[in-house]
Amino acid sequence: MNEQSRLPAQVPATRGDMLRATAKELLTLRRDPLPRMSRPRWLARLPHVIVAYAAVLFGFLTMEQLADHYHLTGAAPLVMAILTGVSIALAMFRPIAAWWLGLIAAGLGAWAMYDHVGQGQTWPGTPGGIFAFAVVILLVALRVPPRVTIAVITVSVACTGLAEALLKPEHSGSTALGGALLFGFAGLLGYALRALRLARGELVEQETLTEEERARRTLLEERSRIARELHDVVAHHMSVISIQAQVAPHLVENPSEELKENLAGIRENAVEALTELRRVLGVLRSEQPDDPVALQHPQPTLAELDGLVDNVRGAGLDVTTEIAGIRRPLTPGVELTAYRIVQEALSNCLRHAAGSRVEVGIAYGPRDLHLCIANTAPPRPAPPSPGAGHGLLGMRERAGMLGGELAAGPRPDGGYEVSAVLPMDPQDRPGSSSSETKRES
């Protein structure tokens, strides 16, 4: 009951605020430039050129009508032509100020030709002057809110109607009805164009946000996939620690109670960590139960590279491999990351460069593993792919996780190249974690 009693009191306050805000807008002569065309770019200034042409056209038209039809002499026709043209040109930068200048020009014109109006001639404005003022209203409606546009049209029609009702010369033609229709149409057209421009701007902004959200979601999904893949590696090491801590007391003669307690504590912590790790992995796998990566399979290594290349060749891609350096086993994380980078790069070649020749190079350095997957220019354009670019996110994330680097880009011959440098032992890279933290922040 109390809220209902408050509602009627709020409505007048809201209306009063709207009226005060509208009046403030009509008295604000701030700069509000006419927007450029977004596409095509070489026609960006076309609206400004059209408005400038309209300013010159209606300026000459006003001077011609005042001199030839209303027989005004002296400087009056020239002054009115200048004011009319300036009001239209000013509307490109200060629409409300241009509207006020247009009203002043219309009033001065009506006063100047009052004694020169003949039988059936329009007053208080010339035919050209009415259309010129409609252009100003159109330019105003393109930049101001709808309520301000309504106020501009209302004031303009009211001034025209009031002048006709009180001061209309004998035998002159009426412009109130025609002016009201023309001003209303110009305001409605300006409102529609403004709404279309704002809608396009919001659509572009929304598309940008959607693309950023899609990239962020892809990155999170790839991180989740990496976490699931590395589970077996981490779980294996934790299991080994637990077993070694359990067996160690039996390998020593007469172990002390302190040693037994420390080893038992190590085993308990390892078992607890392994339990928590499996619980977290269960949550990750429950989010995507159909993901084949979530199945319990051994994680691939570079030893399986030949099988991967054979599968790609069977799909119709000409792939050659070259291995430099002494081939040796690496840590499980590096093996898995290197395999996935090569796998994703070959998938991109199949998707975007079908029919090209692909070279896969792997170089075992003293401390780093170098990968290079390069393809020649495809013989025909590839069809558009909706997921383009998301594979690179995953590859960069995998390389950055180990403190490595990944670069990808087009080649001068029209092909594409993906290269990565992975540390042999990420533990020896103390700066990698800090650099990764900086990169994510």
Side-chain angles (χ1 to χ4, degrees), residues 326-342:
I326 301 176
R327 190 169 186 173
R328 57 191 184 273
L330 307 175
T331 59
V334 176
E335 290 272 2
L336 176 60
T337 298
Y339 180 90
R340 291 302 187 194
I341 290 176
V342 175

Side-chain angles (χ1 to χ4, degrees), residues 50-51 53-59 61-62 65 70 84-85 87-89 91 99 102 106 113 122 124-140 156 160 174-187 189:
I50 294 176
V51 173
Y53 176 77
V56 175
L57 174 65
F58 283 107
L61 184 61
T62 299
Q65 288 183 346
Y70 292 86
T84 301
S87 65
I88 296 177
W99 173 69
M113 65 183 185
T122 58
T126 64
I130 297 174
F131 281 93
F133 197 72
V135 172
V136 175
I137 291 180
L138 172 63
L139 295 173
V140 170
S156 303
T160 304
S174 175
T175 60
L177 180 59
L181 294 176
L182 187 59
F183 298 162
F185 174 77
L189 178 61

Side-chain angles (χ1 to χ4, degrees), residues 310-398:
D310 290 339
N311 290 335
V312 176
R313 286 173 181 159
L317 205 62
D318 183 10
V319 184
T320 59
T321 60
E322 183 177 353
I323 298 178
I326 301 176
R327 190 169 186 173
R328 57 191 184 273
L330 307 175
T331 59
V334 176
E335 290 272 2
L336 176 60
T337 298
Y339 180 90
R340 291 302 187 194
I341 290 176
V342 175
Q343 183 185 41
E344 182 62 35
L346 290 176
S347 298
N348 287 341
C349 292
L350 281 172
R351 187 182 303 114
H352 304 291
S356 63
R357 295 190 307 275
V358 183
E359 297 178 357
V360 178
I362 301 177
Y364 290 82
R367 300 182 60 187
D368 297 317
L369 177 69
H370 297 261
L371 306 174
C372 181
I373 303 92
N375 64 273
T376 60
R380 56 187 179 277
S385 176
H390 293 166
L392 291 176
L393 286 176
M395 288 190 281
R396 287 195 176 96
E397 188 67 20
R398 290 177 182 275

Side-chain angles (χ1 to χ4, degrees), residues 157-180:
V157 174
C159 290
T160 304
L162 190 62
E164 280 197 8
L166 300 179
L167 304 172
K168 181 181 178 182
E170 239 181 289
H171 309 301
S172 64
S174 175
T175 60
L177 180 59

Side-chain angles (χ1 to χ4, degrees), residues 51-125:
V51 173
Y53 176 77
V56 175
L57 174 65
F58 283 107
F60 277 109
L61 184 61
T62 299
M63 184 171 61
E64 189 271 338
Q65 288 183 346
L66 289 176
D68 294 346
H69 298 277
Y70 292 86
H71 305 291
L72 263 70
T73 57
L78 179 60
V79 171
M80 297 307 305
I82 293 175
L83 289 177
T84 301
V86 169
S87 65
I88 296 177
L90 182 62
M92 288 191 291
F93 308 101
R94 299 181 184 272
I96 298 299
W99 173 69
W100 282 112
L101 181 60
L103 278 180
I104 295 173
L108 292 177
W111 174 75
M113 65 183 185
Y114 184 82
D115 295 329
H116 300 269
V117 179
Q119 181 70 30
Q121 289 183 322
T122 58
W123 190 89

Side-chain angles (χ1 to χ4, degrees), residues 2-26:
N2 291 334
E3 290 192 15
Q4 292 180 356
S5 63
R6 283 197 295 265
L7 284 177
Q10 291 176 352
V11 173
T14 302
R15 289 177 179 174
D17 292 342
M18 291 180 62
L19 291 176
R20 282 191 293 271
T22 302
K24 185 177 180 181
E25 289 281 348
L26 291 179

Side-chain angles (χ1 to χ4, degrees), residues 176-198:
L177 180 59
L181 294 176
L182 187 59
F183 298 162
F185 174 77
L188 185 61
L189 178 61
Y191 165 75
L193 294 176
R194 176 178 181 270
L196 181 61
R197 176 171 56 86
L198 294 179

